[in-house]
Amino acid sequence: RPYLWVVRSNNRDDGFDDAGDERGMVVGWCDQVRVLSHPAVGCFVTHCGWNSTLETVEAGVPMVAWPLYADQRMNAVILSADRVGLALWERPPLGKDRAVVPREELTALVRELMEGEKCVVARKMVGHLRMRLRLLRRQAGRRIELSR
């Protein structure tokens, strides 16, 4: 499947862009809201910062939550409990490549959200959250207008 992978330049190893996988594109930056709003996006692998979480819910996109620190872990717990996505938990480095998350595990979660049984549930649940978020924003806007 085609993919877009955003990796800051200072986090790339030498040769990272030359992996030879023609299905994907690796970039240093993108307009996240614009990308998430595109109908071709099937899921989003995110560290689950609050802004990214809201942007993803507003776009109606299921998430693979890969939290690292701070509020990200709590957001990942909430998203997986609400069945809006699946959580990927970091562990002490494993194996000879010292991976904190095996690529097979990430691949399995992305596949599950794209085509597995949890795909339908996650899309439905994120759709409900999307509608609630839009309703709350409209209500907040009205309150702001009335208070002027």
Side-chain angles (χ1 to χ4, degrees):
R1 290 188 182 257
Y3 63 89
L4 172 65
W5 193 353
V6 180
V7 182
R8 285 188 218 147
S9 298
N10 61 344
N11 288 336
R12 294 185 194 181
D13 294 330
D14 289 335
F16 185 83
D17 294 331
D18 300 324
D21 188 348
E22 295 176 4
R23 297 171 300 169
M25 178 186 294
V26 180
V27 297
W29 183 88
C30 76
D31 182 338
Q32 183 169 295
V33 172
R34 189 170 173 204
V35 170
L36 288 170
S37 299
H38 195 282
V41 174
C43 76
F44 180 50
V45 179
T46 174
H47 291 302
C48 284
W50 189 240
N51 288 337
S52 290
T53 300
L54 287 177
E55 291 167 357
T56 308
V57 167
E58 186 163 6
V61 176
M63 291 166 257
V64 173
W66 188 348
L68 298 177
Y69 51 82
D71 65 332
Q72 298 171 354
R73 294 182 199 281
M74 181 55 69
N75 297 339
V77 169
I78 292 168
L79 292 171
S80 55
D82 284 346
R83 300 177 296 163
V84 170
L86 302 172
L88 184 64
W89 302 107
E90 198 172 287
R91 299 177 272 300
L94 305 170
K96 62 183 175 190
D97 62 354
R98 308 285 293 156
V100 292
V101 174
R103 76 180 75 177
E104 297 81 15
E105 187 174 344
L106 176 58
T107 301
L109 289 179
V110 169
R111 275 205 179 108
E112 185 65 28
L113 271 185
M114 295 289 289
E115 57 199 36
E117 291 178 21
K118 295 180 182 174
C119 172
V120 175
V121 174
R123 289 199 174 282
K124 180 179 177 182
M125 298 308 290
V126 78
H128 289 309
L129 281 179
R130 180 185 194 186
M131 288 188 302
R132 290 175 64 193
L133 180 59
R134 287 182 174 178
L135 177 64
L136 287 171
R137 285 201 170 150
R138 279 196 301 269
Q139 290 173 345
R142 271 192 235 122
R143 273 191 226 123
I144 291 168
E145 289 175 14
L146 291 174
S147 66
R148 288 184 187 174

